[in-house]
Amino acid sequence: MVGVVVEEGIDSTIVSDWADKVGWSTQAYDFGRSYMYTDRPIYKPGDTVNIKVIDRVGYDGAYELRKEKNTTLRIRNSAYTEVASIPITQSAVGTYLASYTIPLDAPLGTFQFSTPYGSGWFQVEEYRGAAFEVNAKTAKDEYVAGDTLEATVDAKYSFGAPLSGGTVEYSITAQDYYFDKAHIDGVDFGAGWYDCYACGYGDSYVTRGVATLDENGKALIRTELDFDTLFSSESTRKNGKIFAIHVVVKDKSGRSVSGQTSAVVHRGEYYVGLGLGQHFVEKGQQIPVTIKTVDTLGNNRSVDNLTYEIARIEWKSFRRQEVDGGFYWRSEQKREVVHTEEVDTDRNGNYSGSYTPTVVGQYEIVVRGKDERGNAIEKTTNFYVFGGDTVDIRMSNNESLEVIAEKTNVKVGERPKILITSPYPNAKALITVERGKIFSHEVVDITGSIFAYEVPIKASYAPNVFVSVVLLSPRPELKFGNVQFHVGNEVHALDVKVVPTKTFYLPGEDVELKVTTKDMFGIPVSAEVSIAVADLSVLALSGNQKKNPLSFFYVSYLSIQKH
């Protein structure tokens, strides 16, 4: 088959197999997933490795236990020679357990363990535990731009004596911090990448240096928190930061141990939050606007002389002939301020206002202020106005279509809106809710440049679902876009707590642990639990990644391919 002709009434279209793909993805297929791990990441010859496998089979998140109860775990050494073949049997909850004792003459390096359904790795090395320990700590957990950050490095031998005369090499990096101490319904202080699956961390290099440990095994690191000096671009200076101090301590014999600490640096002495009744509104509908100001602890704070501004974002598009002779769309953004005023928040940090848009399009609200130190503080949010009018939108030179979600992190039962930005005065749209299968579909008539559509979120959509839009114009031309909703995987999560009966034990004593497992509603449930005990000095050699089978089994399963 090279293509199909699709007709319904007076509508028709041709879809070819090779030229009409507007999205790309892998093929859908039945699959199994095996989460495999060991009790620690690094071992010595003669050690025993404990291995656990959590195995499921299914498609699109609908898992069940594999019918084959017995399988084989194979282990290969660093030369990729098979050194063990261990029969393993599935437990009642779909797990497998195995142990393997590393021969004393085993080669060093990376060992692989595998079943027909997955594989994992562990390291075999000759090592000694770290000769000394390093602790780094900042003088305060939180600072404000303009302060001086101070961090103390404390190095001592395992038997308690200070490591004097050693050297400390340190580097400081920063990443964006998004304020999360004030939780007020409907008010956004900026969740940023904490709730954004596609966002970066905003990592940037700050400084580096060398210090010397004194006779008490301590060294002091200081840096001035001047954002104008430390960060070159205006965009990187706008947010608060998490400053991370990475240290490597070397003793006089050249042995080294690393450590790290971090501190929050607020952009100013207060934060501004913005709350809108809705982010998608119909033309002529009044929008309530709430401005909230709080201090760095999240407590209410009155702030004067805030600038409150609303601007309409317009796109001016034109075709330009390029060097290949073809004409291509180019778009320029224009920002028209439609409302501005100076406002103060009251003693509870509140200001309330409203705005009624009369023109369809995209709008931006910005609130700006300065604290007593002169730090610039800013909060921005957007809203969209839909209706039957035609306005200029950003044009594309391909089949891409901009689909905007009111929010992408949703809960079952919510009905978030999406906006379809159409470059045509009139068009038809096929809207599908899909993932590994199509949950629902609907054909709607699109009038105007910005069209709103409501998506009811169902339990079967967890942990994610795509809403795809195929737009067909009268010309005919085809545009495609989609948006992904993250419904969350909490329904599959277990709350596991491990508490020892006491904090300190003597050599030879038995350690007693109390383990509780509950579901998302706090109801106790029966579960199989694995517990590993490892020497921290050994884990310090290679780290100990946190194990999270929940994110392994319940992630974004599939992307979407459209013809």
Side-chain angles (χ1 to χ4, degrees), residues 60-80:
D60 198 35
Y63 290 116
E64 58 186 44
L65 302 188
R66 199 177 295 274
K67 293 180 180 179
E68 300 83 2
K69 302 299 182 184
N70 300 308
T71 188
T72 301
L73 179 81
R74 302 183 187 279
I75 298 178
R76 298 178 183 271
N77 63 20
S78 55
Y80 205 65

Side-chain angles (χ1 to χ4, degrees), residues 390 393-395 401 421-425 448-449 471 475 477 479:
T390 300
I393 66 168
R394 189 174 186 175
M395 302 294 291
L401 174 71
T421 58
S422 172
Y424 316 113
S449 301
L471 194 69
R475 296 183 184 181
E477 283 183 353
K479 297 280 186 180

